[in-house]
Amino acid sequence: MAKQEEVSVPIFSSLDPVYGEGSQLDEAKTRFDVLKSKFNQVFDAAPQLFARSPGRVNLIGEHIDYEGYSVLPMAIRQDTIIAIRKREGQNQLRIANVNEKYTMCTYPADPDQEIDLQNHKWGHYFICAYKGFHEYAKSKGINLGSPVGLDVVVDGIVPTGSGLSSSAAFVCSSMIAIMSVFGENFEKKELAQLTCECERHIGTQSGGMDQAISIMAKTGFAELIDFNPVRATDVKLPDGGSFVIAHSLAESQKAVTAATNYNNRVVECRLASIILGIKLGMEPKEAISKVKTLSDMEGLCVSFAGDRGSSDPVLAVKEYLKEEPYTAEEIEKIVEEKLPSILNNDPTSLAVLNAATHFKLHQRAAHVYSEARRVHGFKDTVYSNLSVLDT
């Protein structure tokens, strides 16, 4: 049997295999009827096809995917559905929504267009997928011909800004819809990597967990998601277990606040990893050029711990990264280079530097290394409990 990441996106002609039976299927049928009606109302035509991707909840492995470490999420019932059709001879992308809160967005049918990050619009997430698909198709030598117009209607029921990856569900369903309407079907591992990369067009330095689980989820299982390369391993949870997802109703706009929140953590982890490299014997220029994530430094940190009778990389963090926040000047003195240069003058990283007054390097590194171990500890505990139940 092919591994989950090595199969293509399944294609269905009915809703039953996707939504099961009972009230969940009835609700889905109603949504699709409303979506079709909305499409016809807005565009005076029927959609060619539909695509869907679910949101997710992460069981364990918070803020470590962008450092290359495994995470353990599972998909949820709430999803985003895209209805789409091609408009040959047209040069406009028209993106509508069943929710009247979101007004129609229009864009040129231009794969090379830049996304205006200073003017955030909900339709930008579709453009992330649109740009990413064309970039990837070009890299694979696929000739898509001249750009054509697309009509799109979106129906998303993943609560926005709730930490359940509504943006990834939107980008992934958009990517599948665009891919399908152009007659392509890539393997899931390709789509997981591609959607992670293309969501970065919106300005967040995504690590890939949200997109990977939305693409590779399997009914009845959580998934252990590994990276470099991306792959998924089914994790069967004990029967009878329940997970309560409590929505606080607070909304976090990840793309809007990236410079002070999400991307800030990514930058802090990068700086922590470089300083650890230098403290553990690397030349500053070598560390800057070779060290990208804390996972790159795990070997040296474990070696340091091994000399002290341990295998815990956090020992190196405690030894070499002070608990008090660092200023930019303190970091630059250690690495012997200006921070913008270290971060390759990347616009999203520069936005972090402009917004930050200090950097919590100790806290970030300690969390990443300890959380990475907890993920595998959780998986091993689940497996051992299942083994006990089976005996």
Side-chain angles (χ1 to χ4, degrees):
M1 180 180 292
K3 295 180 180 179
Q4 186 76 341
E5 63 269 15
E6 295 175 347
V7 298
S8 299
V9 174
I11 301 171
F12 300 103
S13 57
S14 69
L15 298 179
D16 304 54
V18 180
Y19 291 98
E21 56 187 25
S23 60
Q24 189 168 320
L25 178 60
D26 293 338
E27 177 188 317
K29 288 179 177 178
T30 300
R31 286 179 64 203
F32 274 82
D33 287 342
V34 170
L35 184 53
K36 283 186 282 188
S37 176
K38 179 73 172 182
F39 198 99
N40 187 272
Q41 173 194 333
V42 175
F43 300 123
D44 195 27
Q48 285 177 248
L49 57 89
F50 301 91
R52 75 171 287 273
S53 280
R56 66 97 185 104
V57 64
N58 191 26
L59 300 182
I60 193 166
E62 293 296 330
H63 288 286
I64 61 174
D65 57 336
Y66 47 75
E67 293 303 296
Y69 284 109
S70 305
V71 291
L72 215 159
M74 64 181 182
I76 58 176
R77 179 178 64 84
Q78 286 79 3
D79 59 14
T80 295
I81 307 167
I82 303 285
I84 192 171
R85 72 160 182 156
K86 284 169 71 175
R87 296 164 61 230
E88 301 288 351
Q90 301 297 314
N91 59 2
Q92 197 174 54
L93 311 176
R94 302 188 295 183
I95 310 165
N97 201 302
V98 296
N99 188 336
E100 299 297 336
K101 171 184 174 182
Y102 301 103
T103 58
M104 182 184 288
C105 293
T106 58
Y107 301 85
D110 176 12
D112 297 322
Q113 64 186 286
E114 294 296 325
I115 296 177
D116 182 2
L117 299 182
Q118 303 305 313
N119 181 24
H120 188 76
K121 295 181 179 179
W122 71 274
H124 286 359
Y125 289 100
F126 182 86
I127 302 303
C128 285
Y130 179 76
K131 286 173 62 66
F133 170 74
H134 281 81
E135 290 165 356
Y136 190 64
K138 183 178 180 180
S139 74
K140 288 175 70 72
I142 298 172
N143 182 10
L144 298 174
S146 300
V148 299
L150 296 175
D151 285 340
V152 176
V153 178
V154 180
D155 177 19
I157 60 171
V158 184
T160 57
S162 62
L164 298 175
S165 295
S166 60
S167 63
F170 188 4
V171 171
C172 290
S173 56
S174 297
M175 178 64 72
I176 294 170
I178 296 166
M179 174 187 73
S180 301
V181 85
F182 279 98
E184 301 295 333
N185 196 352
F186 305 137
E187 288 185 356
K188 289 186 175 184
K189 63 184 177 184
E190 295 177 273
L191 283 175
Q193 186 62 43
L194 174 56
T195 48
C196 169
E197 291 173 357
C198 71
E199 189 168 336
R200 293 171 186 161
H201 285 304
I202 205 73
T204 54
Q205 299 181 24
S206 175
M209 170 180 68
D210 302 344
Q211 298 82 7
I213 187 61
S214 191
I215 294 291
M216 298 195 220
K218 187 175 178 180
T219 301
F221 293 88
E223 297 292 333
L224 178 70
I225 306 291
D226 298 308
F227 302 96
N228 305 313
V230 65
R231 56 200 183 278
T233 303
D234 296 342
V235 177
K236 181 75 170 75
L237 300 172
D239 292 335
S242 297
F243 293 86
V244 177
I245 304 171
H247 188 4
S248 68
L249 303 182
E251 187 170 328
S252 174
Q253 296 180 307
K254 187 166 77 172
V256 175
T257 64
T260 55
N261 293 316
Y262 191 92
N263 289 351
N264 176 273
R265 297 186 184 97
V266 178
V267 167
E268 287 179 325
C269 287
R270 173 80 198 283
L271 297 175
S273 65
I274 291 171
I275 291 179
L276 281 173
I278 294 169
K279 296 292 186 180
L280 288 166
M282 299 177 73
E283 291 295 323
K285 289 189 180 300
E286 179 190 13
I288 292 168
S289 66
K290 292 184 178 180
V291 178
K292 306 301 180 185
T293 65
L294 285 162
S295 58
D296 293 336
M297 286 308 307
E298 182 179 1
L300 283 178
C301 288
V302 170
S303 178
F304 172 88
D307 293 339
R308 288 150 183 80
S310 174
S311 62
D312 187 357
V314 175
L315 285 186
V317 175
K318 292 178 178 178
E319 177 72 19
Y320 291 123
L321 295 177
K322 64 174 184 172
E323 292 191 29
E324 297 79 16
Y326 286 77
T327 64
E329 292 75 19
E330 287 177 311
I331 297 172
E332 289 173 345
K333 184 176 181 180
I334 297 170
V335 301
E336 300 176 3
E337 196 166 325
K338 293 293 184 182
L339 294 191
S341 175
I342 293 170
L343 301 170
N344 298 316
N345 290 300
D346 170 67
T348 57
S349 297
L350 293 180
V352 170
L353 299 182
N354 290 334
T357 58
H358 58 266
F359 302 90
K360 298 179 179 179
L361 307 190
H362 177 105
Q363 290 84 348
R364 296 293 176 232
H367 166 77
V368 167
Y369 286 138
S370 57
E371 183 77 349
R373 291 194 161 202
R374 284 191 289 270
V375 170
H376 288 279
F378 176 86
K379 181 203 69 173
D380 293 342
T381 299
V382 169
Y383 283 169
S384 63
N385 284 348
L386 286 173
S387 299
V388 170
L389 291 174
D390 289 340
T391 58

